[in-house]
Amino acid sequence: MGTEKKLKSTKRVFQVFGCVVTSQDMVSPKDPTKSFSKVDYYTHPEHYNPVFHERIAPYASVIVNCMYWEKRFSRLLSTKQLQDLIKGGCPLLGVCDITCDIGGSIEFVNKSTSIESPFFRYDPYTDSYHDDMTSNGVVCLAVDILPTEFSREASQHFGDILSQFVTSLASAKEIDELPSHLRKACIAHKGALTPLYDYIRRMRKSFIETSAAPLNGPSWKKYTTLVSLSGHLFDKFQINKALDIIEAAGGSFHLVKCDVGQSTDDFSYSELEVGADDTSMMDNILDSLTTLANSSEKHGIVSKESDLSLKIGKVNANETDNCVPEKRPAVLILGAGRVCRPAAAFLASIEKDHNGYSSEGVHVIVASLFQEDADETVEGITNATAVQLDVKDLERVSFYVSQVEVVVSLLPASFHSSIANVCIEHKKHMVTASYVDDSMSKLDSVAKDAGVAILCEMGLDPGIDHMMAMKMIDEAHKRGGKVKGFTSYCGGLPSPAAANNPLAYKFSWNPAGAIRAGRNSAIYKLLGETVNVDGKELYDSAKSFRLSDLPAFALEHLPNRNSLIYGDLYGISKEASTIYRATLRYEGFSEIMATLGKIGFFEMEPHPFIKVAPRPTLRSFLNHLLGLNMSSSAKEEEFIQRLVQLGHCKDKTTASKTIKAIKFLGLHEDMVIPESCSSAFEIICARMEERLTYKNDEQDMVLLHHEVEVEFPDSQQTEKHRATLLEFGKIENGKSTTAMALTVGVPAAIGALLLLHNRVQKRGVVRPLDSEVYIPALKMLETTGIKLLEEVESS
């Protein structure tokens, strides 16, 4: 052991600790029972209190402010807050206000500064400003021309180039509106990578996941090989096509190496370890990659002009298990909303025997515009792959359709016809849960010629309602009966426990569509007479609805659009004297909605009162509609009397219910009407979307009920057949699945399975009205727990 002393270092060590502060750290909800929501904060900042001066500022030495700010938001740091902080011993030395909003989010920044003299000092003790740096106070930097610190030559060069594109970039609201060269140059749009550049996320994700846990990479697949790609991988986006091929076939990949060319003349190089479950899958991947490379090369010769060249290593078999599964049939599901997950889960679990439908298993590809939505949909589902896909990119859609046997489109109805055209081109069957519109009807003969079935209306309503009806009607006809009456009631509702607001209703989607539906006219047949209901009077036509098996449900029904067309669909128009379809709601819903409509909240035209400056509050707009001048302290009785006086309500009971709904929706509050709202309709939609939503632990409910009255002329016997479907949403492992999602998604998946097994022989545009569809479909629904209760009453 030496006896010499260790010399202490005289070098000073400085440590800097930094953190990025988000809006969640700046404010807190006024209501302590609610959690922070970024969307809600941006829409309703008045619902939040500032907390930055309590949570962050007391511990900061320097604050760099780069945030966007408007007057409707709380300040990041006010002058009074700073004064209190400094007196309390806050270590704050300086503020760098990049935003340079004078008197804005940093209130005491009262002027901008120059490059030559970038600082000034604010003394919170004396509330004074100084240009010297020698005394007390917080040093402030507020240079408002920092971007001009680029060299003049660079600024001129960038400006000259950019000026050619500014008009197109500034005028385009959507990326599709840009010219091709600008669209291809856009790496990100609306906070996400554009489809052409999504390879960045995919390759990065594969690299990170495999680096963090090697067993999660392609090496856990049964077979792996190294694939080397070179050429114009990124500037001509060949890498997207290569990754699509791997994922669409059910394979996986791990990024081993990547070198990007530095000019348009240079090749890029990438090595991928590709994994597959079986030799058939691997052969499919390698054949498709080879075809892609050969189409890029000229006569097999790699040249400077080649977009892609390929080298494939030896295929290795990993000892993961002793059996090699056969290639699975594949189904492509387009869309990643709530409905998609039950559909994907059903198809991916189809190795089980479903009423004789033994299967080798189905590989499910879920495609969404946003990768994270697709990932969330397939999370925890085996045999499922998530991919990013813009359905407007028909070239990529065509590729994925070519790789599967059946396509399930759960997209908005406006996309179905374009997807159906691609399916017809590749001779692939298709399923949707939407009504058959004119654009789909026109494809009937083309689909028949191609030998393709486009199975539509395979959801709840339309879908299960068709199948229940046709089963009951066909059975009656087989026994020689005639259908005297057909009535159908259906509603997507909150469960009784979740119907905890004055309207007893909640939305899991934008309420605008539901409100518009409540303004549609209706027509039906009752005891031989045709009844027309004007849309403005629809809510006034609501009637009570009771089921003996469900005495706890106090419901009402409203006629649903054109009931007469179902007489033709079901083949009963000549024999039935009553044909009626209705929408279900909890009792009391319609009288409140009718009153809100009479007040004027459903008017869709821009309202001149809302356009005045400064913008009015919700209370002032409500007063305007009612012709009142009520203050916040106005008694409820005054509002009730006014509603009855104006004839908006038939009695005080209805008026009282309506006032409770108005208050629940906040239509009486002293909140400034948002800029996004220019009509009464937009105001009430915004309030309903905020207030009438499901909490994470709340369930929805689906109730479908058919009554078919059958007459048997020979025996003078009459029977009333009833069928009821009651389904509640499920909450498992902290995740909720709505009853609506189950009863729409599962029938669509069943339709795909029937087409996979060629159980549907009909071709063209098909509805589930034939026994070849509804008999097996209803049986499979029952195996999933979606059961129909049937009963017959004779008289």
Side-chain angles (χ1 to χ4, degrees):
M1 294 285 293
T3 59
E4 69 273 19
K5 294 182 179 180
K6 292 185 178 179
L7 295 176
K8 291 184 179 180
S9 173
T10 58
K11 183 179 180 180
R12 297 178 67 187
V13 178
F14 296 90
Q15 288 183 312
V16 177
F17 298 92
C19 68
V20 176
V21 178
T22 65
S23 52
Q24 188 170 0
D25 307 305
M26 301 175 190
V27 295
S28 178
K30 290 180 179 179
D31 185 345
T33 64
K34 292 186 177 181
S35 58
F36 176 85
S37 165
K38 187 175 181 180
V39 174
D40 182 59
Y41 171 55
Y42 282 4
T43 308
H44 303 291
E46 70 277 4
H47 293 172
Y48 294 79
N49 289 320
V51 295
F52 176 85
H53 65 290
E54 299 172 344
R55 294 181 179 176
I56 306 297
Y59 312 102
S61 299
V62 176
I63 296 173
V64 179
N65 179 36
C66 309
M67 76 175 196
Y68 174 77
W69 184 78
E70 294 176 6
K71 288 183 179 180
R72 62 194 186 96
F73 295 99
S74 302
R75 286 188 167 90
L76 186 68
L77 200 60
S78 70
T79 302
K80 179 65 168 57
Q81 289 167 351
L82 175 69
Q83 292 170 350
D84 293 341
L85 285 167
I86 296 298
K87 291 175 183 177
C90 172
L92 186 65
L93 299 174
V95 170
C96 179
D97 193 358
I98 304 298
T99 66
C100 235
D101 291 328
I102 305 306
S105 54
I106 304 289
E107 187 179 18
F108 52 89
V109 174
N110 70 341
K111 64 178 180 179
S112 60
T113 57
S114 65
I115 298 297
E116 294 78 13
S117 181
F119 305 102
F120 66 86
R121 180 170 51 85
Y122 171 69
D123 188 343
Y125 289 102
T126 61
D127 192 24
S128 58
Y129 294 85
H130 309 275
D131 290 327
D132 68 277
M133 298 292 113
T134 57
S135 299
N136 296 326
V138 176
V139 175
C140 302
L141 179 147
V143 178
D144 60 355
I145 56 169
L146 279 179
T148 66
E149 283 301 284
F150 287 113
S151 66
R152 186 173 66 179
E153 293 82 0
S155 297
Q156 182 67 45
H157 177 69
F158 294 149
D160 289 344
I161 295 174
L162 185 61
S163 63
Q164 303 173 38
F165 309 115
V166 167
T167 301
S168 295
L169 289 169
S171 61
K173 294 181 180 179
E174 297 294 336
I175 195 170
D176 291 342
E177 299 173 11
L178 293 172
S180 176
H181 57 281
L182 287 182
R183 188 166 62 250
K184 290 181 179 179
C186 286
I187 299 174
H189 177 61
K190 292 185 177 179
L193 291 166
T194 56
L196 289 177
Y197 292 90
D198 191 59
Y199 67 81
I200 298 172
R201 181 199 56 77
R202 297 160 77 183
M203 296 178 76
R204 184 172 180 270
K205 180 182 177 184
S206 79
F207 183 79
I208 291 174
E209 288 181 348
T210 311
S211 299
L215 291 178
N216 290 334
S219 56
W220 63 264
K221 293 284 189 179
K222 181 71 176 178
Y223 297 93
T224 59
T225 187
L226 191 67
V227 172
S228 300
L229 304 169
S230 62
H232 292 286
L233 301 181
F234 305 104
D235 55 336
K236 295 190 178 180
F237 306 106
Q238 292 296 316
I239 190 68
N240 289 320
K241 297 178 181 179
L243 299 184
D244 285 349
I245 285 171
I246 297 168
E247 291 184 337
S252 58
F253 64 87
H254 161 54
L255 179 63
V256 178
K257 184 178 180 181
C258 185
D259 294 319
V260 181
Q262 298 303 303
S263 73
T264 55
D265 294 328
D266 294 336
F267 275 2
S268 296
Y269 176 78
S270 182
E271 282 188 3
L272 302 173
E273 184 185 8
V274 177
D277 290 325
D278 53 68
T279 55
S280 176
M281 182 186 293
M282 180 63 80
D283 289 343
N284 184 20
I285 292 171
L286 298 182
D287 287 347
S288 297
L289 287 173
T290 302
T291 300
L292 178 64
N294 288 342
S295 66
S296 169
E297 297 172 6
K298 296 179 179 179
H299 308 293
I301 301 173
V302 181
S303 67
K304 278 281 186 178
E305 289 73 34
S306 297
D307 291 341
L308 178 70
S309 61
L310 175 74
K311 289 184 179 179
I312 298 172
K314 180 182 177 182
V315 176
N316 300 307
N318 300 314
E319 298 300 324
T320 53
D321 53 51
N322 296 323
C323 61
V324 180
E326 297 297 322
K327 182 179 183 300
R328 300 173 184 269
V331 173
L332 173 64
I333 298 178
L334 298 174
R338 293 171 179 261
V339 174
C340 295
R341 184 171 174 84
F346 176 87
L347 286 169
S349 66
I350 211 64
E351 291 180 49
K352 301 172 185 177
D353 186 355
H354 284 261
N355 293 291
Y357 287 74
S358 58
S359 173
E360 65 272 28
V362 177
H363 178 69
V364 180
I365 302 171
V366 174
S368 174
L369 179 61
F370 299 108
Q371 182 70 40
E372 55 267 34
D373 292 341
D375 289 336
E376 185 178 349
T377 299
V378 304
E379 183 181 358
I381 301 177
T382 56
N383 307 329
T385 302
V387 300
Q388 188 279 331
L389 179 64
D390 183 350
V391 293
K392 293 180 182 178
D393 184 349
L394 293 181
E395 182 179 351
R396 289 193 72 209
V397 170
S398 180
F399 167 77
Y400 278 105
V401 169
S402 71
Q403 302 297 303
V404 302
E405 281 69 43
V406 179
V407 176
V408 178
S409 177
L410 297 174
L411 298 164
S414 57
F415 290 102
H416 290 333
S417 60
S418 62
I419 302 299
N421 275 307
V422 176
C423 291
I424 292 169
E425 178 186 350
H426 289 282
K427 299 186 185 303
K428 306 291 185 179
H429 300 309
M430 176 178 163
V431 181
T432 83
S434 301
Y435 285 103
V436 175
D437 59 16
D438 290 340
S439 63
M440 292 294 281
S441 295
K442 291 175 182 177
L443 296 176
D444 181 55
S445 60
V446 183
K448 284 178 180 176
D449 293 341
V452 170
I454 308 295
L455 180 54
C456 302
E457 303 186 6
M458 199 68 186
L460 168 67
D461 178 4
I464 299 176
D465 62 338
H466 285 329
M467 294 186 277
M468 285 174 59
M470 290 311 302
K471 177 176 181 291
M472 299 164 77
I473 291 169
D474 283 351
E475 287 177 352
H477 285 165
K478 286 178 183 177
R479 294 171 54 212
K482 290 185 177 181
V483 175
K484 289 180 59 180
F486 171 79
T487 55
S488 173
Y489 310 89
C490 185
L493 301 161
S495 66
N500 48 12
N501 63 68
L503 283 160
Y505 193 73
K506 291 186 177 178
F507 296 94
S508 55
W509 63 92
N510 189 306
I515 295 176
R516 286 193 181 97
R519 307 288 283 175
N520 288 322
S521 59
I523 182 172
Y524 58 92
K525 187 160 67 170
L526 180 64
L527 300 177
E529 298 291 329
T530 300
V531 181
N532 288 278
V533 181
D534 186 271
K536 294 181 180 179
E537 300 173 355
L538 186 71
Y539 287 124
D540 292 318
S541 68
K543 294 180 176 61
S544 295
F545 178 79
R546 294 289 189 277
L547 285 176
S548 57
D549 294 335
L550 303 170
F553 294 94
L555 301 171
E556 63 184 26
H557 61 86
L558 302 92
N560 188 356
R561 300 195 186 187
N562 187 352
S563 297
L564 302 184
I565 61 174
Y566 291 85
D568 295 328
L569 278 178
Y570 300 160
I572 57 173
S573 57
K574 293 182 179 180
E575 57 190 277
S577 60
T578 295
I579 301 175
Y580 179 68
R581 281 171 47 92
T583 301
L584 293 175
R585 293 290 182 264
Y586 283 108
E587 203 164 59
F589 172 87
S590 294
E591 60 184 359
I592 294 175
M593 293 294 282
T595 306
L596 290 173
K598 291 170 184 175
I599 292 172
F601 276 112
F602 298 155
E603 295 301 322
M604 300 182 186
E605 294 298 319
H607 201 292
F609 183 84
I610 301 174
K611 294 182 178 181
V612 299
R615 287 182 71 80
T617 64
L618 290 170
R619 177 182 286 118
S620 64
F621 184 56
L622 177 63
N623 279 331
H624 173 76
L625 292 177
L626 294 176
L628 295 173
N629 188 23
M630 296 291 188
S631 65
S632 58
S633 60
K635 294 181 180 179
E636 185 174 307
E637 184 63 29
E638 295 178 76
F639 280 103
I640 291 174
Q641 289 177 356
R642 184 59 174 166
L643 288 178
V644 175
Q645 179 186 359
L646 292 172
H648 294 335
C649 298
K650 58 185 179 182
D651 52 45
K652 288 187 176 182
T653 302
T654 303
S656 178
K657 292 179 182 178
T658 305
I659 294 301
K660 285 180 171 59
I662 285 173
K663 289 185 174 181
F664 181 83
L665 294 172
L667 295 168
H668 69 307
E669 294 177 354
D670 275 329
M671 187 191 85
V672 174
I673 296 174
E675 293 285 347
S676 59
C677 297
S678 61
S679 68
F681 176 75
E682 289 172 338
I683 289 174
I684 200 166
C685 284
R687 303 309 288 167
M688 285 183 168
E689 190 169 4
E690 179 187 347
R691 300 291 175 91
L692 300 180
T693 57
Y694 287 93
K695 295 180 181 178
N696 292 335
D697 59 347
E698 291 182 331
Q699 296 171 292
D700 72 326
M701 176 182 84
V702 164
L703 176 59
L704 173 62
H705 179 77
H706 283 344
E707 293 186 2
V708 177
E709 189 176 359
V710 183
E711 182 181 60
F712 295 92
D714 294 340
S715 63
Q716 301 298 313
Q717 181 183 354
T718 299
E719 294 179 351
K720 183 169 283 189
H721 295 247
R722 298 185 183 91
T724 305
L725 167 65
L726 179 62
E727 185 74 19
F728 289 92
K730 295 177 172 56
I731 301 175
E732 298 176 353
N733 301 320
K735 289 189 174 182
S736 62
T737 303
T738 66
M740 186 64 70
L742 284 168
T743 53
V744 174
V746 173
I750 288 173
L753 186 62
L754 293 174
L755 292 170
L756 272 176
H757 287 275
N758 203 29
R759 297 298 179 100
V760 179
Q761 300 299 315
K762 197 171 181 180
R763 295 295 181 259
V765 176
V766 182
R767 292 179 172 95
L769 304 174
D770 295 329
S771 59
E772 68 170 359
V773 178
Y774 70 71
I775 289 178
L778 290 174
K779 286 182 179 179
M780 279 189 274
L781 268 178
E782 191 167 341
T783 66
T784 69
I786 301 176
K787 189 174 182 179
L788 309 175
L789 301 177
E790 298 184 67
E791 63 176 3
V792 179
E793 177 186 319
S794 300
S795 60

